[in-house]
Amino acid sequence: MISLTTPITEQKIRSLKVGDPVSISGIVFTGRDAVHKYLHEGGALPPQVNLRDGIIYHCGPVMMKEVDGSWRCTAAGPTTSIREEPYQGDIIHKFGVRGVIGKGGLGEKTLAACKADGCVYLHAIGGAAQVLAECVKKVRAVYFLEEFGSPEAIWELQVENFPAVVTMDSHGGSLHKEVFAASAAELAKRL
Amino acid sequence: MNALNDSLIELIRRTSVELPDDVNQALIRSLENEKKGTIAESALKIIDQNIVLAKRKSQPICQDTGSILFYVDCPVGFDQIHFEETARVAVTEATKKGYLRQNSVDSLTGKNDGTNVGPGAPTVHFHQHRSPEVSVRLALKGGGCENVGAQYSLPNEKLHANRDLDGCRKVILDAVLQAQGKGCGPGILGVCIGGDRATGYEFSKQQFFRKLDDRNPNAELDALEQDILKTANELGIGPMGFGGKTTLLGVKATAANRLPASFFVSISYMCWAYRRQGVRLGGAGEITSWLY
């Protein structure tokens, strides 16, 4: 298991290869469909949200508000990433993102951005909302809650030992491409 | 009134936090079967831990608590309007308790009012029967797996799929290939051959109320189910699309009559977090037994 702590250097990212299991600690920002579209259309991030050398997590958590006004994260697995394919590459480039956590992988545009800018795709286990919520040690802040609603807001999470697997690296490698090609070949033999 | 409301909240809670035993057993078997030391095995281990943790903490197995689909079997004279009104209140309360995510968005304005209630949400399907029994089944179907569902119109030239069972087999396997890990596999397929577009998808979803280990009483459909399951698990897509032995946990298929002009094959994909439950209700709306 390779430890990744935010902020992450380009050198560290370049050392990662498809298939590496990683354990993530530090700050991650959630962002999914509404946030990606907004940023892609030229929307500005709140000044407190710094993605440079940081991580975007494709996640719409379940959050409960405590009596003191703080938030408790009670479920926090990844959402399907491929919907962000039209936007992700540009966002990696523009904001200096080093890691994207999600599930299901992304496509060629993002893979090219990972290579050009030094970023990796970190695959978390879809549906494992409780195991992953346990890794969220603190909900530090929320942005765009009113505009986008709770699942689509940017949640600033402090995480510890969050498990994921590198499935797209910064050298053009993609487990998703490999598995698709291999499974298509197996299927062709069985038709 | 209150008993029915309480029963529906408990049905929602249990559906969201606990997997039915047949699904749990199938996941345990797939973990035992997976090659040791692979990322597929570690994915299944995390899934296994997650199931235990969700039940213990009474918190959602998956943060995407999905489309809320009620199916009610009821006698003639059952007050459906009252049931639907109560279901909407129960859904709102279950959301406040954190059993459901604030998961329902106005498609025109993009607003999420946090209640999970709106046009088409939740959906309630009623079916009248001659028996006095009232039973309520619930499926919570997440968006990731819903997005990889597919409907094919035969013939499909690209896939060389004609209007026969072999053509159906080809398009169903194509749906599995296209889904890869995006629907949170290992998954379960619900399939309907025939029907119009809406009925086909609807019937495909109703297949999810069958238990994983049952067998289709129709010999041709049974053979198709077994064949798709075996073939899909030879493709090496594996849990989460990481590569591996278990791509599907089950295949359930039905058929509906079609028009001479139409031949649809509708495929719904359910993720491993296969949230389905059901209850029988007594005269006051209280839960008398669980169905799964």
mmCIF file of all heavy atoms in Angstrom, chain A residues 111-154:
data_model
loop_
_atom_site.group_PDB
_atom_site.id
_atom_site.type_symbol
_atom_site.label_atom_id
_atom_site.label_comp_id
_atom_site.label_asym_id
_atom_site.label_seq_id
_atom_site.Cartn_x
_atom_site.Cartn_y
_atom_site.Cartn_z
ATOM 1 N N LEU A 111 -7.243 10.802 -19.808
ATOM 2 C CA LEU A 111 -5.979 10.065 -19.786
ATOM 3 C C LEU A 111 -4.858 10.941 -20.352
ATOM 4 O O LEU A 111 -3.744 10.972 -19.809
ATOM 5 C CB LEU A 111 -6.133 8.771 -20.598
ATOM 6 C CG LEU A 111 -5.032 7.728 -20.438
ATOM 7 C CD1 LEU A 111 -4.900 7.279 -18.988
ATOM 8 C CD2 LEU A 111 -5.315 6.509 -21.335
ATOM 9 N N ALA A 112 -5.176 11.672 -21.414
ATOM 10 C CA ALA A 112 -4.175 12.569 -22.009
ATOM 11 C C ALA A 112 -3.802 13.684 -21.031
ATOM 12 O O ALA A 112 -2.624 14.053 -20.916
ATOM 13 C CB ALA A 112 -4.726 13.157 -23.313
ATOM 14 N N ALA A 113 -4.788 14.206 -20.314
ATOM 15 C CA ALA A 113 -4.504 15.269 -19.335
ATOM 16 C C ALA A 113 -3.656 14.732 -18.185
ATOM 17 O O ALA A 113 -2.758 15.426 -17.685
ATOM 18 C CB ALA A 113 -5.805 15.854 -18.800
ATOM 19 N N CYS A 114 -3.931 13.489 -17.762
ATOM 20 C CA CYS A 114 -3.138 12.876 -16.687
ATOM 21 C C CYS A 114 -1.667 12.816 -17.095
ATOM 22 O O CYS A 114 -0.768 13.073 -16.295
ATOM 23 C CB CYS A 114 -3.645 11.465 -16.373
ATOM 24 S SG CYS A 114 -5.184 11.449 -15.434
ATOM 25 N N LYS A 115 -1.443 12.484 -18.372
ATOM 26 C CA LYS A 115 -0.084 12.356 -18.886
ATOM 27 C C LYS A 115 0.578 13.742 -19.009
ATOM 28 O O LYS A 115 1.705 13.943 -18.558
ATOM 29 C CB LYS A 115 -0.147 11.669 -20.255
ATOM 30 C CG LYS A 115 1.192 11.188 -20.756
ATOM 31 C CD LYS A 115 1.002 10.328 -21.997
ATOM 32 C CE LYS A 115 2.359 9.915 -22.543
ATOM 33 N NZ LYS A 115 2.221 9.078 -23.739
ATOM 34 N N ALA A 116 -0.161 14.675 -19.567
ATOM 35 C CA ALA A 116 0.418 16.000 -19.827
ATOM 36 C C ALA A 116 0.664 16.772 -18.530
ATOM 37 O O ALA A 116 1.694 17.432 -18.379
ATOM 38 C CB ALA A 116 -0.509 16.796 -20.743
ATOM 39 N N ASP A 117 -0.264 16.685 -17.595
ATOM 40 C CA ASP A 117 -0.207 17.550 -16.419
ATOM 41 C C ASP A 117 0.277 16.860 -15.150
ATOM 42 O O ASP A 117 0.492 17.526 -14.143
ATOM 43 C CB ASP A 117 -1.591 18.164 -16.171
ATOM 44 C CG ASP A 117 -1.999 19.101 -17.289
ATOM 45 O OD1 ASP A 117 -1.410 20.177 -17.374
ATOM 46 O OD2 ASP A 117 -2.869 18.731 -18.100
ATOM 47 N N GLY A 118 0.376 15.512 -15.189
ATOM 48 C CA GLY A 118 0.817 14.814 -13.990
ATOM 49 C C GLY A 118 -0.311 14.622 -12.997
ATOM 50 O O GLY A 118 -0.383 15.282 -11.955
ATOM 51 N N CYS A 119 -1.216 13.717 -13.366
ATOM 52 C CA CYS A 119 -2.382 13.452 -12.514
ATOM 53 C C CYS A 119 -2.689 11.956 -12.612
ATOM 54 O O CYS A 119 -2.278 11.299 -13.576
ATOM 55 C CB CYS A 119 -3.570 14.288 -13.004
ATOM 56 S SG CYS A 119 -5.080 14.123 -12.020
ATOM 57 N N VAL A 120 -3.377 11.399 -11.620
ATOM 58 C CA VAL A 120 -3.787 9.995 -11.693
ATOM 59 C C VAL A 120 -5.263 9.871 -11.341
ATOM 60 O O VAL A 120 -5.828 10.735 -10.664
ATOM 61 C CB VAL A 120 -2.999 9.070 -10.729
ATOM 62 C CG1 VAL A 120 -1.552 8.926 -11.175
ATOM 63 C CG2 VAL A 120 -3.089 9.557 -9.295
ATOM 64 N N TYR A 121 -5.846 8.770 -11.817
ATOM 65 C CA TYR A 121 -7.223 8.439 -11.433
ATOM 66 C C TYR A 121 -7.165 7.367 -10.350
ATOM 67 O O TYR A 121 -6.513 6.335 -10.520
ATOM 68 C CB TYR A 121 -7.997 7.921 -12.648
ATOM 69 C CG TYR A 121 -9.444 7.603 -12.337
ATOM 70 C CD1 TYR A 121 -10.371 8.619 -12.173
ATOM 71 C CD2 TYR A 121 -9.868 6.284 -12.201
ATOM 72 C CE1 TYR A 121 -11.700 8.326 -11.877
ATOM 73 C CE2 TYR A 121 -11.194 5.986 -11.916
ATOM 74 C CZ TYR A 121 -12.106 7.019 -11.752
ATOM 75 O OH TYR A 121 -13.411 6.727 -11.463
ATOM 76 N N LEU A 122 -7.829 7.641 -9.260
ATOM 77 C CA LEU A 122 -7.789 6.758 -8.087
ATOM 78 C C LEU A 122 -9.170 6.125 -7.928
ATOM 79 O O LEU A 122 -10.138 6.807 -7.600
ATOM 80 C CB LEU A 122 -7.424 7.588 -6.854
ATOM 81 C CG LEU A 122 -6.072 8.320 -6.976
ATOM 82 C CD1 LEU A 122 -5.987 9.496 -6.013
ATOM 83 C CD2 LEU A 122 -4.922 7.341 -6.745
ATOM 84 N N HIS A 123 -9.235 4.833 -8.172
ATOM 85 C CA HIS A 123 -10.525 4.138 -8.155
ATOM 86 C C HIS A 123 -10.868 3.683 -6.747
ATOM 87 O O HIS A 123 -10.153 2.888 -6.146
ATOM 88 C CB HIS A 123 -10.454 2.925 -9.092
ATOM 89 C CG HIS A 123 -11.795 2.422 -9.540
ATOM 90 N ND1 HIS A 123 -12.766 2.033 -8.653
ATOM 91 C CD2 HIS A 123 -12.317 2.263 -10.775
ATOM 92 C CE1 HIS A 123 -13.838 1.643 -9.343
ATOM 93 N NE2 HIS A 123 -13.598 1.783 -10.626
ATOM 94 N N ALA A 124 -11.954 4.214 -6.221
ATOM 95 C CA ALA A 124 -12.452 3.757 -4.911
ATOM 96 C C ALA A 124 -13.500 2.681 -5.159
ATOM 97 O O ALA A 124 -13.940 2.479 -6.293
ATOM 98 C CB ALA A 124 -13.040 4.929 -4.144
ATOM 99 N N ILE A 125 -13.914 1.999 -4.106
ATOM 100 C CA ILE A 125 -14.870 0.907 -4.272
ATOM 101 C C ILE A 125 -16.283 1.464 -4.263
ATOM 102 O O ILE A 125 -16.757 1.971 -3.244
ATOM 103 C CB ILE A 125 -14.691 -0.164 -3.177
ATOM 104 C CG1 ILE A 125 -13.240 -0.682 -3.164
ATOM 105 C CG2 ILE A 125 -15.677 -1.318 -3.397
ATOM 106 C CD1 ILE A 125 -12.745 -1.200 -4.499
ATOM 107 N N GLY A 126 -16.940 1.352 -5.405
ATOM 108 C CA GLY A 126 -18.304 1.845 -5.532
ATOM 109 C C GLY A 126 -19.231 1.129 -4.564
ATOM 110 O O GLY A 126 -19.139 -0.079 -4.395
ATOM 111 N N GLY A 127 -20.103 1.892 -3.953
ATOM 112 C CA GLY A 127 -21.073 1.291 -3.036
ATOM 113 C C GLY A 127 -20.558 1.105 -1.621
ATOM 114 O O GLY A 127 -21.337 0.828 -0.724
ATOM 115 N N ALA A 128 -19.229 1.280 -1.425
ATOM 116 C CA ALA A 128 -18.684 1.019 -0.083
ATOM 117 C C ALA A 128 -18.775 2.276 0.780
ATOM 118 O O ALA A 128 -17.793 2.745 1.356
ATOM 119 C CB ALA A 128 -17.249 0.520 -0.190
ATOM 120 N N ALA A 129 -19.979 2.789 0.892
ATOM 121 C CA ALA A 129 -20.192 4.104 1.509
ATOM 122 C C ALA A 129 -19.827 4.147 2.983
ATOM 123 O O ALA A 129 -19.419 5.192 3.491
ATOM 124 C CB ALA A 129 -21.655 4.514 1.338
ATOM 125 N N GLN A 130 -19.971 3.023 3.675
ATOM 126 C CA GLN A 130 -19.677 3.027 5.113
ATOM 127 C C GLN A 130 -18.189 2.914 5.391
ATOM 128 O O GLN A 130 -17.649 3.639 6.229
ATOM 129 C CB GLN A 130 -20.456 1.906 5.820
ATOM 130 C CG GLN A 130 -21.938 2.176 5.877
ATOM 131 C CD GLN A 130 -22.255 3.551 6.439
ATOM 132 O OE1 GLN A 130 -21.684 3.977 7.433
ATOM 133 N NE2 GLN A 130 -23.159 4.261 5.790
ATOM 134 N N VAL A 131 -17.516 2.004 4.703
ATOM 135 C CA VAL A 131 -16.066 1.863 4.874
ATOM 136 C C VAL A 131 -15.391 3.205 4.559
ATOM 137 O O VAL A 131 -14.491 3.644 5.280
ATOM 138 C CB VAL A 131 -15.525 0.741 3.952
ATOM 139 C CG1 VAL A 131 -14.007 0.762 3.902
ATOM 140 C CG2 VAL A 131 -16.033 -0.625 4.430
ATOM 141 N N LEU A 132 -15.854 3.867 3.507
ATOM 142 C CA LEU A 132 -15.206 5.111 3.086
ATOM 143 C C LEU A 132 -15.601 6.281 3.992
ATOM 144 O O LEU A 132 -14.785 7.163 4.260
ATOM 145 C CB LEU A 132 -15.503 5.381 1.607
ATOM 146 C CG LEU A 132 -14.960 4.258 0.693
ATOM 147 C CD1 LEU A 132 -15.389 4.465 -0.758
ATOM 148 C CD2 LEU A 132 -13.441 4.137 0.773
ATOM 149 N N ALA A 133 -16.835 6.273 4.497
ATOM 150 C CA ALA A 133 -17.240 7.339 5.438
ATOM 151 C C ALA A 133 -16.413 7.266 6.730
ATOM 152 O O ALA A 133 -16.132 8.291 7.349
ATOM 153 C CB ALA A 133 -18.729 7.246 5.750
ATOM 154 N N GLU A 134 -16.018 6.051 7.104
ATOM 155 C CA GLU A 134 -15.175 5.896 8.303
ATOM 156 C C GLU A 134 -13.821 6.584 8.122
ATOM 157 O O GLU A 134 -13.169 6.936 9.105
ATOM 158 C CB GLU A 134 -14.920 4.403 8.575
ATOM 159 C CG GLU A 134 -16.153 3.633 8.975
ATOM 160 C CD GLU A 134 -16.223 3.375 10.462
ATOM 161 O OE1 GLU A 134 -15.354 2.667 10.984
ATOM 162 O OE2 GLU A 134 -17.176 3.893 11.090
ATOM 163 N N CYS A 135 -13.386 6.723 6.866
ATOM 164 C CA CYS A 135 -12.096 7.379 6.585
ATOM 165 C C CYS A 135 -12.218 8.896 6.621
ATOM 166 O O CYS A 135 -11.220 9.598 6.578
ATOM 167 C CB CYS A 135 -11.563 6.966 5.214
ATOM 168 S SG CYS A 135 -11.398 5.192 5.014
ATOM 169 N N VAL A 136 -13.445 9.403 6.617
ATOM 170 C CA VAL A 136 -13.643 10.858 6.690
ATOM 171 C C VAL A 136 -13.608 11.251 8.163
ATOM 172 O O VAL A 136 -14.533 10.959 8.918
ATOM 173 C CB VAL A 136 -14.989 11.280 6.052
ATOM 174 C CG1 VAL A 136 -15.211 12.785 6.211
ATOM 175 C CG2 VAL A 136 -15.034 10.870 4.588
ATOM 176 N N LYS A 137 -12.539 11.906 8.552
ATOM 177 C CA LYS A 137 -12.367 12.222 9.970
ATOM 178 C C LYS A 137 -13.031 13.539 10.345
ATOM 179 O O LYS A 137 -13.377 13.749 11.500
ATOM 180 C CB LYS A 137 -10.873 12.275 10.330
ATOM 181 C CG LYS A 137 -10.169 10.939 10.104
ATOM 182 C CD LYS A 137 -10.841 9.800 10.880
ATOM 183 C CE LYS A 137 -10.230 8.447 10.548
ATOM 184 N NZ LYS A 137 -11.010 7.331 11.108
ATOM 185 N N LYS A 138 -13.174 14.400 9.351
ATOM 186 C CA LYS A 138 -13.793 15.693 9.649
ATOM 187 C C LYS A 138 -14.369 16.296 8.373
ATOM 188 O O LYS A 138 -13.739 16.206 7.315
ATOM 189 C CB LYS A 138 -12.730 16.630 10.244
ATOM 190 C CG LYS A 138 -13.340 17.880 10.837
ATOM 191 C CD LYS A 138 -12.311 18.755 11.528
ATOM 192 C CE LYS A 138 -13.012 20.024 12.019
ATOM 193 N NZ LYS A 138 -12.090 21.127 12.236
ATOM 194 N N VAL A 139 -15.552 16.890 8.506
ATOM 195 C CA VAL A 139 -16.104 17.691 7.410
ATOM 196 C C VAL A 139 -15.713 19.127 7.715
ATOM 197 O O VAL A 139 -16.217 19.738 8.650
ATOM 198 C CB VAL A 139 -17.635 17.546 7.327
ATOM 199 C CG1 VAL A 139 -18.189 18.380 6.180
ATOM 200 C CG2 VAL A 139 -18.032 16.077 7.171
ATOM 201 N N ARG A 140 -14.767 19.670 6.935
ATOM 202 C CA ARG A 140 -14.186 20.979 7.281
ATOM 203 C C ARG A 140 -15.050 22.135 6.820
ATOM 204 O O ARG A 140 -15.136 23.162 7.493
ATOM 205 C CB ARG A 140 -12.789 21.096 6.692
ATOM 206 C CG ARG A 140 -11.791 20.151 7.367
ATOM 207 C CD ARG A 140 -10.515 20.007 6.551
ATOM 208 N NE ARG A 140 -9.893 21.285 6.288
ATOM 209 C CZ ARG A 140 -8.823 21.752 6.941
ATOM 210 N NH1 ARG A 140 -8.255 21.028 7.885
ATOM 211 N NH2 ARG A 140 -8.318 22.930 6.634
ATOM 212 N N ALA A 141 -15.689 21.974 5.661
ATOM 213 C CA ALA A 141 -16.508 23.084 5.136
ATOM 214 C C ALA A 141 -17.355 22.583 3.979
ATOM 215 O O ALA A 141 -17.125 21.477 3.458
ATOM 216 C CB ALA A 141 -15.606 24.218 4.660
ATOM 217 N N VAL A 142 -18.334 23.383 3.594
ATOM 218 C CA VAL A 142 -19.142 23.075 2.412
ATOM 219 C C VAL A 142 -19.331 24.358 1.604
ATOM 220 O O VAL A 142 -19.475 25.438 2.166
ATOM 221 C CB VAL A 142 -20.485 22.421 2.798
ATOM 222 C CG1 VAL A 142 -21.332 23.315 3.702
ATOM 223 C CG2 VAL A 142 -21.280 22.027 1.542
ATOM 224 N N TYR A 143 -19.272 24.200 0.286
ATOM 225 C CA TYR A 143 -19.447 25.331 -0.632
ATOM 226 C C TYR A 143 -20.534 24.971 -1.644
ATOM 227 O O TYR A 143 -20.664 23.807 -2.028
ATOM 228 C CB TYR A 143 -18.137 25.631 -1.362
ATOM 229 C CG TYR A 143 -16.953 25.725 -0.412
ATOM 230 C CD1 TYR A 143 -16.168 24.602 -0.153
ATOM 231 C CD2 TYR A 143 -16.655 26.913 0.253
ATOM 232 C CE1 TYR A 143 -15.096 24.665 0.731
ATOM 233 C CE2 TYR A 143 -15.585 26.983 1.141
ATOM 234 C CZ TYR A 143 -14.809 25.860 1.370
ATOM 235 O OH TYR A 143 -13.766 25.921 2.251
ATOM 236 N N PHE A 144 -21.277 25.946 -2.111
ATOM 237 C CA PHE A 144 -22.338 25.760 -3.115
ATOM 238 C C PHE A 144 -23.474 24.855 -2.621
ATOM 239 O O PHE A 144 -24.132 24.204 -3.422
ATOM 240 C CB PHE A 144 -21.777 25.176 -4.422
ATOM 241 C CG PHE A 144 -20.777 26.041 -5.123
ATOM 242 C CD1 PHE A 144 -19.542 25.526 -5.503
ATOM 243 C CD2 PHE A 144 -21.070 27.373 -5.412
ATOM 244 C CE1 PHE A 144 -18.606 26.324 -6.163
ATOM 245 C CE2 PHE A 144 -20.142 28.177 -6.070
ATOM 246 C CZ PHE A 144 -18.904 27.649 -6.443
ATOM 247 N N LEU A 145 -23.671 24.811 -1.310
ATOM 248 C CA LEU A 145 -24.730 23.942 -0.777
ATOM 249 C C LEU A 145 -26.107 24.403 -1.263
ATOM 250 O O LEU A 145 -26.924 23.586 -1.692
ATOM 251 C CB LEU A 145 -24.674 23.929 0.751
ATOM 252 C CG LEU A 145 -25.691 23.040 1.464
ATOM 253 C CD1 LEU A 145 -25.526 21.581 1.048
ATOM 254 C CD2 LEU A 145 -25.553 23.149 2.978
ATOM 255 N N GLU A 146 -26.349 25.701 -1.212
ATOM 256 C CA GLU A 146 -27.645 26.222 -1.633
ATOM 257 C C GLU A 146 -27.840 26.064 -3.138
ATOM 258 O O GLU A 146 -28.896 25.634 -3.603
ATOM 259 C CB GLU A 146 -27.759 27.710 -1.265
ATOM 260 C CG GLU A 146 -28.081 27.948 0.196
ATOM 261 C CD GLU A 146 -29.343 27.220 0.636
ATOM 262 O OE1 GLU A 146 -30.372 27.359 -0.050
ATOM 263 O OE2 GLU A 146 -29.289 26.489 1.657
ATOM 264 N N GLU A 147 -26.801 26.411 -3.898
ATOM 265 C CA GLU A 147 -26.917 26.421 -5.351
ATOM 266 C C GLU A 147 -27.110 25.028 -5.928
ATOM 267 O O GLU A 147 -27.934 24.811 -6.809
ATOM 268 C CB GLU A 147 -25.661 27.036 -5.995
ATOM 269 C CG GLU A 147 -25.444 28.498 -5.687
ATOM 270 C CD GLU A 147 -24.615 28.711 -4.422
ATOM 271 O OE1 GLU A 147 -24.709 27.883 -3.485
ATOM 272 O OE2 GLU A 147 -23.875 29.697 -4.362
ATOM 273 N N PHE A 148 -26.317 24.078 -5.457
ATOM 274 C CA PHE A 148 -26.287 22.764 -6.106
ATOM 275 C C PHE A 148 -26.979 21.658 -5.303
ATOM 276 O O PHE A 148 -27.161 20.561 -5.820
ATOM 277 C CB PHE A 148 -24.834 22.341 -6.383
ATOM 278 C CG PHE A 148 -24.080 23.254 -7.326
ATOM 279 C CD1 PHE A 148 -22.707 23.413 -7.215
ATOM 280 C CD2 PHE A 148 -24.743 23.961 -8.334
ATOM 281 C CE1 PHE A 148 -22.001 24.245 -8.078
ATOM 282 C CE2 PHE A 148 -24.046 24.797 -9.205
ATOM 283 C CZ PHE A 148 -22.674 24.938 -9.071
ATOM 284 N N GLY A 149 -27.320 21.927 -4.051
ATOM 285 C CA GLY A 149 -27.904 20.882 -3.213
ATOM 286 C C GLY A 149 -26.815 20.014 -2.604
ATOM 287 O O GLY A 149 -25.666 20.020 -3.060
ATOM 288 N N SER A 150 -27.183 19.249 -1.567
ATOM 289 C CA SER A 150 -26.173 18.532 -0.780
ATOM 290 C C SER A 150 -25.314 17.546 -1.591
ATOM 291 O O SER A 150 -24.088 17.580 -1.502
ATOM 292 C CB SER A 150 -26.857 17.827 0.395
ATOM 293 O OG SER A 150 -25.947 17.016 1.077
ATOM 294 N N PRO A 151 -25.919 16.646 -2.409
ATOM 295 C CA PRO A 151 -25.053 15.678 -3.101
ATOM 296 C C PRO A 151 -24.102 16.326 -4.101
ATOM 297 O O PRO A 151 -23.035 15.788 -4.388
ATOM 298 C CB PRO A 151 -26.044 14.768 -3.842
ATOM 299 C CG PRO A 151 -27.364 14.982 -3.189
ATOM 300 C CD PRO A 151 -27.341 16.386 -2.664
ATOM 301 N N GLU A 152 -24.482 17.504 -4.632
ATOM 302 C CA GLU A 152 -23.692 18.137 -5.688
ATOM 303 C C GLU A 152 -22.778 19.251 -5.170
ATOM 304 O O GLU A 152 -22.038 19.861 -5.937
ATOM 305 C CB GLU A 152 -24.636 18.721 -6.756
ATOM 306 C CG GLU A 152 -25.452 17.683 -7.504
ATOM 307 C CD GLU A 152 -24.729 17.158 -8.737
ATOM 308 O OE1 GLU A 152 -23.559 17.505 -8.937
ATOM 309 O OE2 GLU A 152 -25.352 16.391 -9.483
ATOM 310 N N ALA A 153 -22.837 19.532 -3.890
ATOM 311 C CA ALA A 153 -22.028 20.619 -3.324
ATOM 312 C C ALA A 153 -20.545 20.227 -3.298
ATOM 313 O O ALA A 153 -20.193 19.072 -3.498
ATOM 314 C CB ALA A 153 -22.514 20.925 -1.906
ATOM 315 N N ILE A 154 -19.673 21.214 -3.045
ATOM 316 C CA ILE A 154 -18.253 20.910 -2.782
ATOM 317 C C ILE A 154 -18.096 20.756 -1.267
ATOM 318 O O ILE A 154 -18.282 21.723 -0.516
ATOM 319 C CB ILE A 154 -17.317 22.028 -3.286
ATOM 320 C CG1 ILE A 154 -17.400 22.144 -4.813
ATOM 321 C CG2 ILE A 154 -15.871 21.754 -2.849
ATOM 322 C CD1 ILE A 154 -16.472 23.217 -5.405
#
